[in-house]
Amino acid sequence: ADDRNVCDDGSDIDLSSGIAAPGDASMTALVTGASGFLGSAIVRVLLDEGLRVAALVRSNSDQRNLQGLDVALHHGDLRDPESLHAAMAGCRYVFHAAADYRLWTRNPDAMYESNVAGSRNIVEAAAAAGVERLVYTSSVAVLGIHPDRRPSNEDTPVSLDDMIGHYKRSKYLAEEAVHETAAKLGLSYVVTNPSTPIGPRDVKPTPTGRIIVDAATGKIPAYVDTGLNVVHVDDVARGHWLALQHGRDAERYILGGQDLSLREILGIVARRVGRRPPSIQLPRAPLYPVALVAEMLARITGAEPQVTVDGLRMAAKHMYFSSEKAIKMLGYAARPAEEAIIDALEWFRAHSYI
């Protein structure tokens, strides 16, 4: 027999590679963006599974999420190939979770350099270092959306023209760059597409985390008709570990949770903090002039605007997704979205965001 087992659902596990044997001290994984919200959650999962972890972080990054963790720190930048080669020395696996995640930026070119060129640099460095497998963190932002609000999956039709804003466009092009470069270099890789992670250790916070904080502090008195797929960040992190073990080469897997309207999300937050949930639904059209003014002021002050034109355009769609493929092929599971929101609120409160 060869060294491959086949699961009941047809997915492959390569037992010869050691991926299916957690606790092997020879297994070292590099995590890019390791100090970030999702990256630090991935680090914790890998440590729990007995892997040695190398963490790639920028020299000026906030590293509170890594305090007390047994990781080897490497300072580097996705745009600096030499720093990537140094960080990957001796690593068997790479989890590329770093990304420039902002819905507005004064310098879009920098976002493309980090997300697109940076991802290409990661794949090239991994191939040169002899890495056995790369797990690339993409996003559901690059997937198609059904106008009738049916949950989308990995194969829902989409094109670059459907991408709203520089973040989505850069992530779409980044995933394409990973596919093309890995195929050319013969690197084993798998793609994950997280939906909207929520939970503890959102230090920035992320755009979604800001919604939770603002709702908890009474700064969102009304809402627009939109929806998100909400998932606990720790479930997404474990999904990355499962993708390393069971994901098929070159395939993508949605790591999502529960579809909720914005009104439902705000309602959960309001109940937990003892506030009255917002009851006013705003039309989007009158908000566009507000967004234009907010962006104009942001260009002057440098502070990220609370409302953006691209954000309003994205809010016109209900971003609902199905994780059925990951559930069947990876053994993925996600807890109820309310638990993710509660954990986020508790962490934000404990760290004085609320």
Side-chain angles (χ1 to χ4, degrees):
D2 62 19
D3 288 322
R4 303 189 72 84
N5 277 7
V6 180
C7 297
D8 291 340
D9 56 36
S11 59
D12 294 337
I13 303 177
D14 188 351
L15 300 180
S16 66
S17 69
I19 290 176
D24 182 350
S26 69
M27 294 199 296
T28 300
L30 174 71
V31 180
T32 72
S35 61
F37 180 42
L38 176 56
S40 63
I42 294 173
V43 167
R44 285 172 165 79
V45 168
L46 299 180
L47 291 174
D48 287 345
E49 294 295 339
L51 276 72
R52 293 183 298 178
V53 176
L56 181 70
V57 297
R58 290 172 299 171
S59 58
N60 62 347
S61 65
D62 185 337
Q63 298 175 20
R64 284 177 289 171
N65 279 339
L66 297 178
Q67 288 179 356
L69 299 183
D70 184 15
V71 300
L73 281 178
H74 295 271
H75 290 147
D77 192 294
L78 300 179
R79 298 165 295 183
D80 177 11
E82 287 188 10
S83 69
L84 304 182
H85 288 289
M88 288 185 196
C91 291
R92 292 180 68 178
Y93 316 119
V94 170
F95 291 81
H96 178 33
D100 188 341
Y101 176 28
R102 292 175 290 170
L103 298 185
W104 183 87
T105 174
R106 284 197 296 182
N107 182 13
D109 289 344
M111 179 174 284
Y112 288 94
E113 289 170 7
S114 292
N115 292 349
V116 184
S119 294
R120 186 179 294 110
N121 290 340
I122 285 285
V123 174
E124 292 174 347
V131 166
E132 290 184 17
R133 190 166 231 204
L134 166 76
V135 179
Y136 168 63
T137 306
S138 183
S139 170
V140 294
V142 308
L143 303 178
I145 301 292
H146 291 297
D148 61 3
R149 302 184 182 181
R150 283 182 294 128
S152 300
N153 62 27
E154 292 84 353
D155 299 319
T156 303
V158 70
S159 71
L160 180 61
D161 291 339
D162 297 315
M163 298 295 105
I164 298 173
H166 292 295
Y167 172 70
K168 282 195 171 191
R169 289 179 65 85
S170 70
K171 289 296 286 184
Y172 183 96
L173 293 171
E175 187 177 314
E176 283 196 336
V178 168
H179 286 297
E180 293 169 2
T181 311
K184 180 178 68 176
L185 299 177
L187 178 68
S188 173
Y189 74 103
V190 62
V191 175
T192 63
N193 297 84
S195 59
T196 309
I198 291 178
R201 301 180 299 276
D202 191 358
V203 295
K204 274 191 174 182
T206 61
T208 312
R210 283 202 303 273
I211 291 175
I212 302 299
V213 171
D214 288 347
T217 52
K219 296 178 181 177
I220 304 182
Y223 62 91
V224 295
D225 181 23
T226 190
L228 300 169
N229 183 281
V230 175
V231 62
H232 199 293
V233 66
D234 292 340
D235 294 334
V236 175
R238 179 148 294 278
H240 280 69
W241 167 244
L242 295 171
L244 175 75
Q245 298 176 87
H246 309 306
R248 288 176 171 166
D249 260 4
E251 292 201 9
R252 50 160 56 146
Y253 298 88
I254 293 173
L255 303 179
Q258 184 178 350
D259 293 328
L260 293 175
S261 68
L262 179 57
R263 182 180 184 179
E264 289 172 321
I265 294 170
L266 298 177
I268 292 171
V269 174
R271 289 194 299 272
R272 294 298 301 184
V273 301
R275 290 185 176 275
R276 181 177 298 175
S279 58
I280 302 172
Q281 179 176 314
L282 296 176
R284 277 181 297 276
L287 296 177
Y288 280 98
V290 177
L292 288 169
V293 172
E295 290 186 10
M296 181 177 65
L297 292 174
R299 289 187 182 93
I300 298 171
T301 65
E304 196 164 341
Q306 291 281 40
V307 58
T308 67
V309 172
D310 287 341
L312 290 174
R313 291 177 64 202
M314 284 187 277
K317 302 178 180 180
H318 282 64
M319 291 169 277
Y320 292 161
F321 299 93
S322 169
S323 301
E324 190 65 23
K325 180 179 178 181
I327 292 168
K328 287 184 176 180
M329 299 189 69
L330 306 182
Y332 173 73
R335 70 199 78 182
E338 185 164 354
E339 292 184 24
I341 296 172
I342 291 171
D343 282 358
L345 283 169
E346 290 179 352
W347 189 88
F348 284 133
R349 183 180 290 110
H351 291 80
S352 302
Y353 291 74
I354 298 174

